[in-house]
Amino acid sequence: MELPEEIFRISGASSFEKLALEIFRFQADGCPVYGEYVSLLGIKPEEVDSICSIPFMPISFFRDHLVMTGGGEPERIFLSSGTAGMKQSRHHVRDTAIYDESLERTFRLFYGEPAEYAITGLLPSYLERDDSSLIYMANRLIQLSGNDAGGFFLDDHTALLQAIEKARAARLKVLLIGVTFALLDLAEKHPVDLSDVIIMETGGMKGRRREMIREEVHEIIMKAFGVSSVHSEYGMTELLSQAYSRGGGLFRTPPWMKVLIRDSHDPMSHSSEAGAAGGISVIDLANLWSCSFIATADLGRMHPGGLFEVQGRFDEADIRGCNLLVS
């Protein structure tokens, strides 16, 4: 099958739409749970002629069902972090090479060659798990970097800051990837000049701190470390691609990934027009062997040029209401 190669050759909107429709029909036929969902909605795949007409599967299906296209055995299973008492999402990844290709191409698109960086990870609570897609992503980037100044740091802030100094001495760019609560801990305990460091937060309080809006988090980080902006990564267990923000909370996707906004009152209605606000739905063509069309639990708004921002999450009542579609 040539689809994996075609995914990373997309050159514009028309080639994206053409391949998205092909993959939609492939998954409606080959992914039992998605195919049943499409059928229950009364949609005939052969009659869908635009990406805005494609039905997006509720993200909760990854928690409650096996989501795989074409059968076979997964090479890896990613699990969401979840919270106590909650069932975790499972992403059965049949071809890890597609994840690697998506990750590497996206990083080079937004940041250049990994070898130019010392990549450091401040990801406590994730490091104990070998099923975290975030740890896999950071570890892959560290390996691609090949620079021994980087690495993972659990909660040893002193060692992290020493590693950053080592990277500076080697004239390397420094990328610090951290979950939100860990970056805030570092900001409180060690406010130092990191103005030449790219600080990328990946979200997540994990019950360690009170929930805070993005602007508040970024203001604390910028003030503590003297950076002019905080970068962000928008990814999740259920996606094999990531979107990145270089500041201001505005995210851009790679060419094989697209965000649409669905009407909060009509989950089947989607728009990519600037100013549209509502639920975030994602097309990730790298999800070839699971499902590429996902209605997330996030709320967002579109901006000009295909940029988007994340504004929060649906509450449980909204999520349950959305799931009534498949009752």
Side-chain angles (χ1 to χ4, degrees), residues 166-179:
K166 180 179 178 180
R168 284 168 164 165
R171 299 182 180 277
L172 292 168
K173 301 174 187 177
V174 181
L175 171 61
L176 170 57
I177 303 173
V179 288

Side-chain angles (χ1 to χ4, degrees), residues 76-78 126-132 135:
R76 179 178 291 269
I77 301 175
F78 289 133
Y126 287 82
L127 281 175
E128 296 84 358
R129 300 172 45 217
D130 60 5
D131 53 22
S132 164
I135 291 296

